[in-house]
Amino acid sequence: MSRAAFFDILTSNPELNAININEDTIFPNYAGEERPSNTTPFIILRWGETGRPHWQEVKPFEPVTVWVHWPAELTSDYTKLIAILDKIDDIVREAHDVVGADGYTMSFVEIEGRSADYLDDGFNTIAKYGVYQVFSRRSE
């Protein structure tokens, strides 16, 4: 799990906050029909399915896809999205043993890869995503 720790390390980062990415513009599993922000970039966290435990005791990683969107009427520059994903990579690389409010500790995160550039017609945004493997354990 450790979803809370992952969310917190993103929402509390001053560099992301400087471009208005914070607890008001990061949405876990957002499923709304309308774009959640019209004036700033925003992030949607999509938590994926976990596999079975390894050796019956070792908890498998939890995959998360981090979708970064920017309203298309504000920019068409995908390098802005790349810079945000680069910053997220830096943040998760440094995050070890982060205790979350959900009762789980995020042990570490592995970076998987990134998407191609997307134009999201539904939200009318430019978008890219990064995929991460979040390893965690119950907090003591």
Side-chain angles (χ1 to χ4, degrees):
M1 293 295 249
S2 68
R3 294 176 179 203
F6 193 88
F7 180 82
D8 288 346
I9 65 170
L10 297 183
T11 60
S12 65
N13 181 270
E15 290 178 60
L16 291 179
N17 296 162
I19 57 169
N20 294 314
I21 295 177
N22 52 49
E23 64 277 351
D24 296 326
T25 55
I26 298 178
F27 304 91
N29 294 316
Y30 182 80
E33 298 271 330
E34 294 186 21
R35 182 168 68 192
S37 176
N38 293 319
T39 58
T40 65
F42 60 92
I43 292 175
I44 297 175
L45 305 177
R46 290 271 183 237
W47 292 93
E49 179 180 327
T50 57
R52 68 177 187 80
H54 300 284
W55 304 285
Q56 303 306 315
E57 303 228 356
V58 177
K59 189 177 182 309
F61 67 84
E62 187 170 10
V64 62
T65 303
V66 177
W67 280 89
V68 181
H69 292 261
W70 206 305
E73 62 272 11
L74 300 179
T75 188
S76 61
D77 184 359
Y78 284 89
T79 61
K80 291 180 177 186
L81 303 180
I82 293 166
I84 292 170
L85 288 169
D86 286 347
K87 185 62 201 167
I88 292 170
D89 287 355
D90 293 343
I91 294 165
V92 301
R93 264 190 212 101
E94 296 172 8
H96 296 277
D97 300 318
V98 179
V99 178
D102 58 1
Y104 286 85
T105 297
M106 185 173 65
S107 302
F108 64 95
V109 178
E110 286 191 8
I111 301 165
E112 279 289 294
R114 293 193 184 165
S115 72
D117 296 347
Y118 286 102
L119 181 58
D120 185 322
D121 293 330
F123 285 157
N124 191 30
T125 59
I126 61 170
K128 278 184 85 64
Y129 67 79
V131 180
Y132 302 88
Q133 296 179 355
V134 180
F135 291 81
S136 64
R137 62 185 185 279
R138 285 191 191 121
S139 299
E140 298 178 20

